[in-house]
Amino acid sequence: MSLIRSWVETANRPDHPFPLNNLPCGVFSAGHGAHCGVAIGDFVLDVSALERAGLLTLQAAPLFGEPSWNKLMAAGPAVWSAMRQRLMALLAEGSAERSAVEPHLHALSAVQLEMPFRVSEYTDFYAGRHHAFNVGTMFRGPENALPPNWLHIPIGYNGRASSVVVSGTPVRRPWGQVKGPDDAMPSLVPSRRFDIELEMGAVVALPSTNGQPVTVAEADDMIFGYVLLNDWSARDIQAWEYQPLGPFQAKATATTISPWIVMKAALEPFRVSTPQREVPLLPHLQEHGPLLYDIALEVGLTPEGGRETIISRTNYREMYYSAAQQLVHHTTSGCAMNTGDLLGSGTISGPTKDSRGSLLELSWGGKEPFEIAGGTRSFIEDNDTLTLRGHAQGEGYRIGFGDCAGKVIPALADPYGRT
């Protein structure tokens, strides 16, 4: 597929993340409440205003009366497709309805981007082969790097929906209980080994029935789209708390997502298969077709007052398990999924050192500090800003997600000192 040209000229630039081929879904405010909108070039189009004006009528009841895409997501794939086709017609080069649509465009530089959907539940997975091997090697040696179940199921844990925040939200360094190997007792201190995890997030739109597992094909149909996702992680807190049940407070500080949901339809030209299996998966988890996407990813680190350094470059196609396979595994027990559920892919690392998706890996547990502009890092320092970016590259166009950024601000001086 090549670029679909729009009368919004900036959308036709080959390096712009928001061409007419994309139309990602977000929520914005411009001084008078928050509204659903789609990005097109350097603008956001207010779809709630289009609906009120009779230019975007998808069903009898309004779908955009609230600052969230949940109602549209719950309406199902036929409505998603109808919306996308109608918006493409309105914004296409030569559209006869340009004059009616143009007043509902707002410059992206003049709006505030908000959470694009209400997160119902949040689940994070540990499904990147290179990341799992790297972390396992650090703690158990290469011969025992992967736990026995890893090649058979996508391992995950249930996280906190309340901790999911939109890009640009400051992230406060957390306090937590830690215990060094030579300490007689643990202590409550600010995390010294605060980290990121470069991930993609799948946004579940269609619910499933309690007690009824779903197939891989059904799971793929349930997904509305994808966001960039940074699952902030306090490695020192996690090291003390995780046995035997896994992460808890170490990953409850914040999970940052990009402000735009890129619909699955925009990513269809970029589907790729998961990697070749080392051992066969059980039939219920096997692919029915390509389930991953060719999405180039990078992480930038910017210290306070300094220049950004790109510390990692990798690709979503490196995942061992797709979002659809993760969703299937999630429902195997009969667990019901809801509109607005968010699935974190797990850290996306590649095979080389410069493609590792966490500082834990990049500094090899802090033993090998890496260079940034003007200094070095092992883990995140106060006032560092971490920015995730991603795009799928088409013929003369790209499908982007917008920045997924967060600045780490200092820990509270004394979290229990207030009266």
Side-chain angles (χ1 to χ4, degrees), residues 121 123 158 207-214 222 327-338 341:
E121 303 283 354
T123 305
N158 288 309
S208 64
T209 302
N210 187 36
Q212 180 62 57
V214 301
M222 290 166 64
L327 187 50
V328 167
H329 180 58
H330 211 317
T331 68
T332 302
S333 65
C335 172
M337 306 303 294
N338 298 309
D341 280 350

Side-chain angles (χ1 to χ4, degrees), residues 21 31-32 50 82-83 91 144 158 204 213 220 248 251 268 277 309 314 376 394 419:
N21 304 61
H32 53 282
L50 291 184
M83 179 196 72
L91 292 165
N144 296 307
N158 288 309
V204 178
D220 196 36
F248 187 51
K251 290 177 176 284
E268 285 301 315
R277 300 291 157 190
T309 301
T314 185
T376 61
T419 58

